């Protein structure tokens, strides 16, 4: 039997969108685990490209060169007990792609139209057989517009900065105030870009997680999924 199954075993695609620091990756991974789905962290793919370009000193202004290198990169997402590993040309780059340097530059690379088209095509291939949880900023609107369940996760800027601060507490010189500024700027760039801007899909469920903990968010999204597949 294929992964779509029948009856209560029906598998759907779940799109989780939202602004920076909303906790999408953590939630999407846990939801996928709960449902025995495949998790695709699209943000890590953009981060991997950003890390690679910074390492090779290829600035986002040189979009043709960025695209040429990106098309030759082999990006793999490997599930693991401690989260998803991200490999670039066989190298595990997971420890490097969440650095402050990558955080500060990823939106600029993500605005390159050719790069987005290239990565979107890869992401759509991953979701073709259903049973995928995918998170990002344009999943429900651009990457998987036909996803059966769309959730737009959000939280206040202050709460999102606090969550990111806890994740990066060992980063030297990092302050909560600076993170708030960075996240606000990231929101501005993501919402204002010409190609696939951050936008809540018309048919998405908006989930404000400011006052929710991780298990509550996971339980809520899993319940949405089960309601859909049992209807």
């Amino acid at each position: 039997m294929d992964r779509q199954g029948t009856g209560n075993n029906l598998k759907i695609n779940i799109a989780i969108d939202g602004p920076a620091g909303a906790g999408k990756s953590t939630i999407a991974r846990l939801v996928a685990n709960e449902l025995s789905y495949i998790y695709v962290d699209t943000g890590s793919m953009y981060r991997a490209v950003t890390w690679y370009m910074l390492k090779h000193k290829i600035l986002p202004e040189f979009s043709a060169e960025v695209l040429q290198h990106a098309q030759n990169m082999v990006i793999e997402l490997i599930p693991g007990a401690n989260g998803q590993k991200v490999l670039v040309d066989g190298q595990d780059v997971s420890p490097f792609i969440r650095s402050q340097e990558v955080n500060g530059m990823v939106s600029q690379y993500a605005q390159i139209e050719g790069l987005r088209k290239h990565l979107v095509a890869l992401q759509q291939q991953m979701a073709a057989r259903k049973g995928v949880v995918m998170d990002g900023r344009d999943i429900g609107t651009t990457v998987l517009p036909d996803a059966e369940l769309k959730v737009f996760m959000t939280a206040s800027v202050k709460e999102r900065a606090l969550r990111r601060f806890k994740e990066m507490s060992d980063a030297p010189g990092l302050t909560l105030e600076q993170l708030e500024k960075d996240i606000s700027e990231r929101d501005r760039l993501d919402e204002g870009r010409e190609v696939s801007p951050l936008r809540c899909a018309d048919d998405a469920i908006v989930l404000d997680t400011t006052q929710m903990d991780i298990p509550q968010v996971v339980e809520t999204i899993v319940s949405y999924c089960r309601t859909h597949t049992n209807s």
Side-chain angles (χ1 to χ4, degrees):
M1 179 184 295
D2 67 22
R3 279 172 45 201
Q4 293 185 50
T6 57
N8 289 340
N9 293 320
L10 176 71
K11 290 197 172 185
I12 64 174
N13 284 335
I14 302 174
I16 300 179
D17 288 307
K24 302 182 297 295
S25 297
T26 298
I27 297 300
R29 176 171 53 83
L30 292 171
V31 167
N33 288 346
E34 183 73 18
L35 296 169
S36 298
Y37 278 23
I38 293 170
Y39 166 51
V40 178
D41 177 1
T42 64
S44 71
M45 297 173 74
Y46 287 97
R47 288 173 174 277
V49 171
T50 301
W51 170 83
Y52 179 96
M53 298 304 161
L54 292 173
K55 180 183 177 186
H56 291 86
K57 297 181 169 49
I58 303 170
L59 298 177
E61 300 91 277
F62 303 106
S63 57
E65 191 175 356
V66 169
L67 185 56
Q68 179 183 356
H69 281 264
Q71 288 174 332
N72 292 323
M73 289 172 61
V74 178
I75 302 174
E76 298 173 271
L77 306 179
I78 310 296
N82 298 315
Q84 194 169 63
K85 286 185 178 180
V86 182
L87 274 57
V88 172
D89 298 332
Q91 178 187 354
D92 183 1
V93 300
S94 310
F96 314 126
I97 63 172
R98 308 229 171 238
S99 68
Q100 283 183 268
E101 184 181 21
V102 171
N103 282 345
M105 292 295 293
V106 64
S107 281
Q108 295 186 43
Y109 288 96
Q111 293 183 62
I112 299 172
E113 183 174 6
L115 176 61
R116 295 198 72 83
K117 286 183 177 178
H118 172 62
L119 293 183
V120 164
L122 294 179
Q123 292 153 10
Q124 289 173 336
Q125 288 174 20
M126 294 175 184
R129 294 188 61 208
K130 304 291 187 181
V132 159
V133 182
M134 196 176 289
D135 75 284
R137 286 168 178 73
D138 62 348
I139 308 304
T141 55
T142 301
V143 182
L144 300 179
D146 297 324
E148 291 85 350
L149 175 62
K150 301 177 185 179
V151 178
F152 190 87
M153 269 180 60
T154 189
S156 68
V157 170
K158 189 176 187 66
E159 177 64 22
R160 286 187 278 138
L162 183 59
R163 292 172 183 173
R164 177 98 9 125
F165 184 72
K166 289 176 180 176
E167 287 177 0
M168 304 172 64
S169 57
D170 57 347
L174 184 69
T175 66
L176 183 58
E177 291 74 17
Q178 183 59 49
L179 272 177
E180 284 194 43
K181 289 180 183 177
D182 290 348
I183 284 177
S184 292
E185 175 63 9
R186 182 76 188 273
D187 287 350
R188 187 187 69 79
L189 287 171
D190 287 343
E191 291 167 2
R193 69 180 178 227
E194 291 184 15
V195 182
S196 298
L198 171 66
R199 183 174 62 80
C200 179
D202 293 338
D203 53 348
I205 300 170
V206 178
L207 184 60
D208 188 328
T209 68
T210 303
Q211 302 296 328
M212 300 172 73
D213 62 21
I214 289 172
Q216 288 173 325
V217 178
V218 172
E219 182 181 354
T220 300
I221 295 177
V222 168
S223 72
Y224 293 156
C225 178
R226 288 183 172 149
T227 296
H228 185 95
T229 55
N230 291 329
S231 61

